Amino acid sequence: MRRLPAVVALSLTAVVSLVGVVGPATTSAGTPGTPAPTVLVTLTDDQTPDGFTIGMPYTSSRTDWVSFTGIVDNALCCPSRSGFFSGRYDVHNGVINNVTSDNLDRDATLFRWFAKAGWDVGLYGKLLNPYRCTPGWSGVVDWHAICPGTKDVYFQYDYKMNNNGVVNSYGSSPADYQVNVLADFIIKKIRSTPAYKPLFLLFTPTSTHWPWVAAPGLENAFYDVAVPRYPNQRDDVSDKPLYIQRQPVPNLRTQDANRRAMWRGSLSVDKALQRIESALREAGRWDSTTEALWSDNGYAFGAHRWIIKRCEYEECARVPMVVRVPGIAGRDDGRLMTNLDLSVTLLALTGVKGGVRLDGRNMEPVLRGNAPAWTDAVLQHWPGGDADGTTTHFPNPGYWCVRVPHWRYCELASGEKELYDLFADPYELDNLAGQTSFAESQSQNAARLNAMKPKDVVDTWIPWESPSVSSSSGSYRDLE
């Protein structure tokens, strides 16, 4: 197949290998005149990198971020979030899709670890699928978790929220817009917490997820902004796995409209973060605030004929990943950072002990610019099936992939293999697996994948074959 010239290099997806080791526990209490530290993590939903760079003009233009090539170990909500909460692979924490969230050990998560170290911990927004307004998790002192009302959690109106044990219903007035309600709770917590008390705040808005409902007054934002088109939205998929070949060519005008809507949802978060930052400054906490922003997965928007998430390609698992640490100058680092890495790194930066052996890498030395020789290789995994572990809603085969800066290599449960030269082919147009001239590269990456895969688990692939309607169907309602 003919390679098309790269227009915008995105990058790809996976998860990390090495075991993270973190420092001793600490209460991190402030001293007179010196506010205690704050950690603010914004976890968006289904947000692509351009959702950050285009949709969040204020936040993305800040010069204090260290930006990474963000990737996730499993490109679906629950597994990705659970990987961050626990610092462990999906096959280690037990959350492999959206119906296995009960497998997560709540006492082996960031919430519990920070609470045990004396931090006030707050959750504001979406937790995991499914969440039905059950009691808050142990250690979280400020719990504001959204759950379905007359509509699902993604619609921004007509939802319910468990507010510290009291379930409140919200309506459809502008004052009920979910992202702004959550930001108000965060600001209230910042203002009401004594300066000597350390804060760990997790902000998890859903406006960047289908149906991409914008805040009041932002409904027409980006209407005249051109949507970039990528070569892999119109590529020849004859060398791709069978599940991709079966997809019809998506309507790119529809995908353009969806992408603009995602930008509007991102802008709503951008405005909320401006307000939260102002509250931190007013409270005297900004100079001691460590901040991170990332998304639980990307979104294909028609790349390789796939329009949702869960795929093995970069569009599904490439996410925004930026970190701000007081005293560290902002820069574009570019190295691979996963959701697991971010978890372990936050523990290291704060001195909070994780309590278990973790799968993420401690990237504090990278942030501080004094990392030793760094092996930039990460893993990506999907167990197969659809988001609920069935073959009903657009399933795809399971896979393991390894991603390094130059190469991306995947082995699918279907027996198919994929190899891409990401330097020459950033849009993954040409599958080089099985080609004689690339046999050595394939062998090297296969060996790397085998070495990095967890040895204490046995692959149990979920069936994926299904004659059902494809992911490109206009009837698709993305509640994953």
Side-chain angles (χ1 to χ4, degrees):
M1 275 157 290
R2 179 173 63 91
R3 287 199 183 111
L4 299 177
V7 180
V8 179
L10 293 179
S11 222
L12 180 76
T13 121
V15 204
V16 74
S17 57
L18 309 178
V19 172
V21 180
V22 298
T26 176
T27 59
S28 301
T31 58
T34 304
T38 299
V39 173
L40 171 65
V41 178
T42 300
L43 168 50
T44 58
D45 205 323
D46 291 9
Q47 187 184 38
T48 61
D50 57 85
F52 178 68
T53 56
I54 297 176
M56 302 182 72
Y58 169 77
T59 305
S60 65
S61 67
R62 282 173 36 190
T63 59
D64 53 352
W65 294 118
V66 179
S67 61
F68 294 91
T69 299
I71 50 182
V72 292
D73 69 320
N74 182 317
L76 184 65
C77 165
C78 275
S80 178
R81 289 166 183 251
S82 297
F84 171 69
F85 295 162
S86 67
R88 309 197 77 196
Y89 290 127
D90 58 351
V91 294
H92 283 159
N93 65 42
V95 184
I96 59 173
N97 53 32
N98 278 357
V99 295
T100 53
S101 58
D102 286 344
N103 291 338
L104 183 65
D105 181 356
R106 299 179 182 181
D107 287 330
T109 64
L110 290 172
F111 299 108
R112 189 65 176 149
W113 298 329
F114 273 88
K116 288 177 67 176
W119 294 57
D120 266 14
V121 178
L123 168 73
Y124 310 87
K126 174 182 169 182
L127 181 64
L128 296 170
N129 306 58
Y131 173 69
R132 301 295 177 188
C133 278
T134 51
W137 289 9
S138 175
V140 183
V141 298
D142 202 26
W143 181 269
H144 301 278
I146 54 175
C147 43
T150 58
K151 293 182 179 178
D152 204 271
V153 298
Y154 303 113
F155 286 80
Q156 304 308 307
Y157 297 100
D158 301 304
Y159 56 94
K160 293 180 181 180
M161 191 182 303
N162 183 334
N163 294 313
N164 292 320
V166 178
V167 177
N168 299 117
S169 296
Y170 294 79
S172 55
S173 73
D176 294 315
Y177 183 73
Q178 189 182 107
V179 174
N180 292 343
V181 171
L182 296 171
D184 288 343
F185 279 121
I186 295 174
I187 292 169
K188 180 180 179 181
K189 179 61 178 173
I190 292 169
R191 290 173 174 170
S192 64
T193 301
Y196 63 80
K197 189 71 174 178
L199 285 174
F200 180 87
L201 308 173
L202 180 60
F203 179 33
T204 59
T206 64
S207 58
T208 53
H209 187 290
W210 177 94
W212 306 292
V213 178
L218 302 180
E219 297 90 347
N220 296 317
F222 304 112
Y223 77 93
D224 57 349
V225 177
V227 176
R229 288 283 175 84
Y230 303 107
N232 57 14
Q233 290 178 303
R234 280 285 187 247
D235 61 331
D236 177 356
V237 297
S238 61
D239 65 346
K240 297 295 184 286
L242 182 60
Y243 88 96
I244 290 292
Q245 296 182 40
R246 288 176 173 175
Q247 305 301 314
V249 176
N251 183 323
L252 292 187
R253 288 188 178 182
T254 299
Q255 297 311 309
D256 289 350
N258 290 344
R259 194 183 289 269
R260 282 197 186 92
M262 185 267 295
W263 292 345
R264 287 192 286 273
S266 300
L267 184 60
S268 304
V269 179
D270 194 44
K271 299 291 186 182
L273 281 175
Q274 284 184 265
R275 295 172 53 216
I276 293 169
E277 179 186 321
S278 294
L280 288 167
R281 291 183 183 279
E282 292 169 3
R285 286 181 170 269
W286 181 248
D287 290 341
S288 58
T289 293
T290 294
E291 186 178 3
L293 181 147
W294 68 290
S295 179
D296 55 10
N297 51 256
Y299 213 79
F301 286 117
H304 309 297
R305 299 189 182 181
W306 194 250
I307 68 169
I308 50 175
K309 47 252 188 176
R310 291 189 270 112
C311 71
E312 66 270 29
Y313 304 108
E314 61 183 277
E315 285 78 14
C316 287
R318 175 70 191 274
V319 298
M321 185 73 74
V322 293
V323 182
R324 182 252 192 194
V325 180
I328 296 179
R331 67 184 188 278
D332 182 6
D333 185 274
R335 276 174 277 198
L336 304 172
M337 175 180 271
T338 71
N339 46 332
L340 283 69
D341 296 341
L342 178 60
S343 177
V344 172
T345 301
L346 290 175
L347 292 170
L349 287 167
T350 56
V352 172
K353 185 176 181 180
V356 297
R357 292 186 66 80
L358 307 175
D359 295 316
R361 299 174 297 184
N362 174 14
M363 296 185 70
E364 180 183 13
V366 174
L367 278 165
R368 299 194 182 281
N370 56 8
W374 194 258
T375 301
D376 219 10
V378 296
L379 287 176
Q380 178 187 344
H381 177 247
W382 174 243
D386 63 15
D388 295 330
T390 72
T391 60
T392 304
H393 300 292
F394 327 118
N396 56 312
Y399 54 78
W400 282 102
C401 301
V402 62
R403 164 75 153 93
V404 295
H406 192 170
W407 299 99
R408 181 172 172 280
Y409 173 70
C410 292
E411 295 180 353
L412 281 65
S414 59
E416 297 160 302
K417 298 178 181 180
E418 294 179 273
L419 176 69
Y420 298 98
D421 180 345
L422 299 176
F423 286 175
D425 180 24
Y427 294 104
E428 299 168 292
L429 302 177
D430 294 340
N431 181 8
L432 306 176
Q435 295 188 23
T436 303
S437 56
F438 292 94
E440 182 177 356
S441 296
Q442 181 170 341
S443 177
Q444 291 173 347
N445 282 285
R448 180 182 288 116
L449 175 60
N450 184 62
M452 292 179 63
K453 284 171 57 176
K455 301 300 187 292
D456 55 348
V457 295
V458 177
D459 288 332
T460 303
W461 300 115
I462 296 173
W464 68 276
E465 288 282 0
S466 172
S468 65
V469 67
S470 75
S471 71
S472 298
S473 165
S475 64
Y476 181 65
R477 297 176 72 249
D478 184 4
L479 294 179
E480 295 183 3

